[in-house]
Amino acid sequence: MGAGMTDKDLFEIIRRQSEQIDQLIAENKALKAEIARLKKRIEELERRERKSAAPFSREKRTADPKPPGRRPGEGTFAHKSPPTPQQITQTVQVATPNTCPRCGFTGPLIFTRQDKAWVTELAPKTPCRSPSTTCPSWSAPSVTTRCVVTIPT
């Protein structure tokens, strides 16, 4: 025992050291929990960085989601119905081309079918009957000639 220290003083030092130890243990646990949380966050961010596509939503779902798809009458249309016979003003026959628009082959092209096209930008509607042909040097799918009709006003 040290000079001038009583048992009471020594017990007080031990008690204070015990409190310090308890406080340091609690602080150590809190820091370990913080480290674990940060490691998990780093792992999540690295995983997200590697993904090229957008992840599925992990948050709360919307209470009133919008239905998927296009609403009727919106956007571009892939198919329009042909005009009624009363709306047709004249019919144009388009000649079979002698040159392949893809490879430039000049000569007789192989007739495949007769396509119908409708010019509906102007007030009178005009159907075009354009031949669809195949180039013998290409053996590619059919080449459709383009029907352009000018209607005098």
Side-chain angles (χ1 to χ4, degrees):
M1 291 205 199
M5 301 215 36
T6 64
D7 287 341
K8 192 176 182 182
D9 293 335
L10 291 174
F11 283 125
E12 183 62 27
I13 291 173
I14 292 172
R15 187 189 59 76
R16 275 189 272 140
Q17 285 179 344
S18 177
E19 285 176 2
Q20 266 186 335
I21 290 171
D22 291 341
Q23 180 184 1
L24 290 173
I25 288 173
E27 189 177 326
N28 191 8
K29 282 182 182 179
L31 289 173
K32 283 183 179 179
E34 180 74 10
I35 288 171
R37 185 186 67 80
L38 291 174
K39 280 184 179 179
K40 186 177 178 182
R41 176 74 175 150
I42 288 171
E43 185 179 302
E44 180 184 322
L45 290 173
E46 285 175 346
R47 197 175 330 113
R48 245 192 235 168
E49 186 180 81
R50 277 184 257 132
K51 289 184 179 180
S52 60
F56 291 111
S57 178
R58 294 180 190 160
E59 290 121 26
K60 282 195 258 176
R61 292 187 156 262
T62 323
D64 190 20
K66 292 183 178 180
R70 185 176 65 207
R71 279 155 194 77
E74 285 185 5
T76 58
F77 300 94
H79 176 74
K80 264 190 167 177
S81 58
T84 62
Q86 294 82 21
Q87 293 175 317
I88 296 174
T89 57
Q90 73 183 77
T91 302
V92 177
Q93 286 284 4
V94 179
T96 307
N98 289 337
T99 306
C100 177
R102 291 186 183 163
C103 68
F105 171 80
T106 305
L109 298 175
I110 302 165
F111 179 78
T112 311
R113 66 181 182 274
Q114 191 79 20
D115 289 334
K116 288 183 183 178
W118 304 95
V119 178
T120 58
E121 287 92 24
L122 304 172
K125 298 183 185 341
T126 307
C128 297
R129 299 194 191 286
S130 60
S132 183
T133 57
T134 303
C135 177
S137 68
W138 246 72
S139 65
S142 61
V143 178
T144 304
T145 58
R146 187 163 184 93
C147 172
V148 179
V149 177
T150 57
I151 300 173
T153 56

